[in-house]
Amino acid sequence: MNDSNAAVRELDAVVVGAGFSGMYMLHKLRGLGLKVRVIEAGENVGGTWYWNRYPGARCDVMSMEYCYSFDPQLEQEWEWTERYPSQPEILRYLDHVADRLDLRRDITFRTRVTSAHYDEGANRWTVTTDAGETFSARFCVMATGCLSTTRKPPFEGVDAFRGRTFHTGEWPHEPVDFTGRRVGVIGTGSSGIQVVPVVAQQAAKLHVFQRTPNFSIPAHNGPLDPDFVKQFKSRYPAHRAEARVSLFGVPWAIDMNSALGVPPEERQRKYEAAWAQGGATPMLVAYVDLLANEQANETAAEFVRQKIREIVKDPKTAELLTPRDHPLGTKRICVDTDYYATFNRPNVELVDVRSAPIVRFTATGLETAAAAYELDDVIFATGYDAMTGTLLRIDVRGRGGVSLRDKWADGPKTYLGLSVAGFPNLFTITGPGSPSVLSNVVVSIEQHVEWTADCIAWLRQEGYATIEATPEAEEKWVAHVNEVADTTLFPKANSWYTGANIPGKPRVFMPYVGGVGPYREICDGVAKKGYEGFRVGA
Ligand code: NA7
């Protein structure tokens, strides 16, 4: 063994990322008796919830549903305090899980994976990190998350700006005080919509730079009622079972009527009830064709537009806040607390950067094509290179040294969102081509992790060393993902689902819209048929 080999650590599996996915993957693989190492860039567990510490950061899925289901004792013991969990509370939960399962001893923190190369001779993955470590493992699991590589538009002069800048997805650990300051928020996606109402309460003046308005529905967040919690917990197994077979990973039944098949007054009552209930799901499941038929969708979209007009006092601001460029729900619906009402505050101003884009930053603020703004702080709520960004930041190479970047040059190609042809023993948790971001992602994560662990156990039991998707199965799956997407309104939106937010990124609708339940059935069927569409090697 030479010197360089002496530094290589031999493992059964490397897992990249210690968010919801990586943590559970570690637990499952340990359960199989595998020697596993998780590599995580952050200083602690949590993934996206470790980085997204901006004021107002909160999940848009209800607490009782946005947590692991694999440990009945854990779900009974853990006490969520609010209907929708705040970022600090989710992080506390994940911290607790890491302690409970004693996960940290197998996690290397503050370390980024830089490359993962498949060695065909040895049938092993060589994984290197920015700390100079090298691991060799039979399996490599990418638990890298769908929203983990932030995007900051390269505005001219941004480095010359003398004020403070922040990105919502890379928020400092120390509290940031905006009291008395002139703040600019760029971006009005979920992050912008959450951060704006909170910063508005502190800032002397808040400018919200909006290019495209989004649909947002109130969360009606608040403390959880102990009786509700008791009742929910008494039915936990049933709730979880319903979530697993549902469309979006939440136990809500979809109304099978068409929105166009009911009288307008009845529809209005239903939308009012959904709005009063809060969150995106009640609205999305109100009628079966909301995401498939433009006319049907328009009834719900117009309902939300009317709400915006009712809430926002200045008609010009209300009009600017009104989304008209995409059907409701074809971009992830935002879930807010007082977002629209915040524009009634005298210290808040909406700036339309669609008609007059941001041209440059200056030392003391920024200039749009129409005006100059003096700012002390700028918050970038400008989103992520979603779904593929983090995977492609790593130099991943499969058979024949083929790089994933080349293979995905025209858009991601996977089989089931789990596996890539030519990349044996590589698994992508919630990868492109899986329901992931269109669902309660924890439900999707558990399904992927369990499927992957079962697959690895099966390989061992059958005496196989490798498994990989066949190019044919991959092609078929990609075609199926596109075909299903094309039966919906989703491709009509310029969203990060299609890569439209990143200049030059191939336009491909990345998630699988077929639904969490049907997707699970497909994956289970594949496994039952001896991993149909995969090739195994001795
Ligand atoms: P999003 O949803 O990608 O939102 C990013 C926002 O930033 C969006 O409003 C963009 O406007 C805006 N943006 C991006 N570049 C620019 C420039 N150059 N000028 C002005 N405005 C810009 O990211 P989020 O972090 O809010 O949410 C991501 C997901 O996290 C969310 O969907 C939930 O699932 C959780 P655009 O729409 O491109 O015109």
Side-chain angles (χ1 to χ4, degrees):
M1 194 180 262
N2 62 31
D3 272 0
S4 60
N5 278 344
V8 176
R9 290 180 61 186
E10 300 285 330
L11 300 165
D12 295 313
V14 168
V15 175
V16 188
F20 268 100
S21 307
M23 291 171 68
Y24 186 33
M25 195 75 247
L26 169 59
H27 177 62
K28 285 298 283 184
L29 293 180
R30 261 190 197 167
L32 294 177
L34 264 58
K35 195 172 164 198
V36 189
R37 192 88 212 149
V38 179
I39 316 291
E40 164 59 50
E43 287 177 7
N44 203 347
V45 296
T48 201
W49 298 109
Y50 171 85
W51 299 103
N52 277 270
R53 294 162 185 260
Y54 62 85
R58 190 179 292 287
C59 185
D60 58 1
V61 176
M62 287 203 235
S63 317
M64 304 293 293
E65 295 162 26
Y66 194 77
C67 47
Y68 292 121
S69 72
F70 68 82
D71 182 342
Q73 207 185 340
L74 169 69
E75 69 184 5
Q76 289 297 330
E77 278 175 11
W78 182 260
E79 298 288 349
W80 295 105
T81 64
E82 291 179 281
R83 195 164 170 226
Y84 290 91
S86 67
Q87 175 271 337
E89 190 158 24
I90 300 172
L91 205 53
R92 270 201 300 282
Y93 169 76
L94 289 172
D95 243 341
H96 171 74
V97 174
D99 288 343
R100 183 188 172 92
L101 303 177
D102 188 18
L103 296 179
R104 287 190 186 79
R105 68 184 154 88
D106 286 326
I107 306 176
T108 301
F109 292 106
R110 299 180 201 85
T111 305
R112 255 178 212 286
V113 167
T114 47
S115 72
H117 293 178
Y118 186 66
D119 174 348
E120 284 185 72
N123 281 338
R124 293 181 74 82
W125 283 92
T126 305
V127 176
T128 62
T129 74
D130 62 359
E133 290 163 301
T134 303
F135 300 91
S136 167
R138 184 161 297 284
F139 300 102
C140 181
V141 183
M142 294 298 184
T144 38
C146 295
L147 295 158
S148 43
T149 293
T150 56
R151 171 168 190 268
K152 218 174 184 177
F155 292 116
E156 184 190 320
V158 72
D159 294 335
F161 177 60
R162 288 203 301 264
R164 302 183 297 182
T165 58
F166 307 92
H167 191 291
T168 48
E170 288 167 8
W171 200 262
H173 286 215
E174 315 72 49
V176 181
D177 188 9
F178 293 103
T179 308
R181 297 177 73 87
R182 298 164 303 173
V183 184
V185 171
I186 304 175
T188 50
S190 294
S191 304
I193 280 174
Q194 288 189 335
V195 82
V196 159
V198 183
V199 174
Q201 288 172 32
Q202 289 182 1
K205 178 81 191 175
L206 175 62
H207 285 101
V208 180
F209 297 94
Q210 172 193 271
R211 191 163 64 183
T212 316
N214 269 301
F215 290 100
S216 189
I217 293 180
H220 300 310
N221 186 43
L224 274 170
D225 170 13
D227 284 340
F228 169 80
V229 172
K230 207 168 143 199
Q231 220 184 22
F232 202 97
K233 284 189 172 177
S234 73
R235 281 197 77 241
Y236 238 142
H239 284 301
R240 302 296 205 176
E242 285 164 29
R244 286 185 197 115
V245 298
S246 69
L247 223 45
F248 302 116
V250 283
W252 294 75
I254 195 158
D255 183 326
M256 295 312 285
N257 289 304
S258 161
L260 304 173
V262 295
E265 316 77 62
E266 186 184 324
R267 210 165 48 208
Q268 184 73 9
R269 270 198 304 276
K270 188 129 195 226
Y271 292 152
E272 284 290 357
W275 184 269
Q277 203 159 5
T281 316
M283 192 65 79
L284 287 175
V285 300
Y287 294 106
V288 70
D289 51 357
L290 289 184
L291 291 172
N293 177 313
E294 239 165 316
Q295 251 182 302
N297 188 285
E298 185 56 21
T299 63
E302 192 44 37
F303 173 85
V304 177
R305 292 188 198 118
Q306 183 56 32
K307 285 289 179 199
I308 299 171
R309 289 191 281 267
E310 282 167 24
I311 299 168
V312 181
K313 295 200 180 113
D314 172 41
K316 204 169 147 241
T317 306
E319 180 52 31
L320 272 178
L321 286 166
T322 301
R324 298 187 192 283
D325 73 320
H326 66 282
L328 175 85
T330 56
K331 286 184 174 183
R332 186 144 178 144
I333 296 184
C334 304
V335 177
D336 72 276
T337 298
D338 297 334
Y339 177 64
Y340 294 121
T342 295
F343 291 93
N344 295 332
R345 295 176 65 104
N347 67 330
V348 177
E349 191 181 320
L350 185 66
V351 181
D352 176 20
V353 294
R354 167 72 60 196
S355 61
I358 296 170
V359 177
R360 68 181 68 82
F361 273 66
T362 63
T364 56
L366 64 79
E367 291 172 9
T368 69
Y373 298 86
E374 294 287 298
L375 301 167
D376 301 311
D377 301 315
V378 174
I379 299 172
F380 288 86
T382 44
Y384 299 85
D385 186 352
M387 305 200 74
T388 54
T390 310
L391 282 169
L392 296 182
R393 237 162 102 171
I394 302 169
D395 177 25
V396 184
R397 287 171 193 267
R399 282 191 192 286
V402 170
S403 89
L404 194 61
R405 287 176 197 149
D406 288 343
K407 164 139 188 173
W408 285 5
D410 298 328
K413 287 194 169 85
T414 69
Y415 179 36
L416 304 172
L418 268 163
S419 174
V420 185
F423 295 75
N425 290 0
L426 178 83
F427 297 93
T428 49
I429 305 301
T430 63
S434 77
S436 61
V437 292
L438 295 179
S439 69
N440 171 359
V441 79
V442 182
V443 174
S444 290
I445 285 170
E446 284 195 331
Q447 185 259 335
H448 263 193
V449 166
E450 286 162 11
W451 192 96
T452 302
D454 288 349
C455 175
I456 290 175
W458 176 81
L459 288 172
R460 199 168 52 176
Q461 177 198 311
E462 301 294 318
Y464 296 126
T466 61
I467 186 162
E468 65 188 291
T470 64
E472 299 75 34
E474 187 179 77
E475 280 302 321
K476 250 173 92 178
W477 184 252
V478 171
H480 176 62
V481 169
N482 286 319
E483 193 186 358
V484 181
D486 287 341
T487 65
T488 72
L489 301 175
F490 278 100
K492 293 198 177 288
N494 286 327
S495 65
W496 55 259
Y497 295 149
T498 63
N501 64 325
I502 305 290
K505 189 165 172 169
R507 290 284 187 103
V508 175
F509 189 79
M510 294 185 282
Y512 178 58
V513 292
V516 165
Y519 172 79
R520 174 185 297 268
E521 246 178 69
I522 295 170
C523 291
D524 289 350
V526 164
K528 267 202 202 92
K529 287 184 207 148
Y531 293 87
E532 188 180 47
F534 287 92
R535 189 162 52 209
V536 287

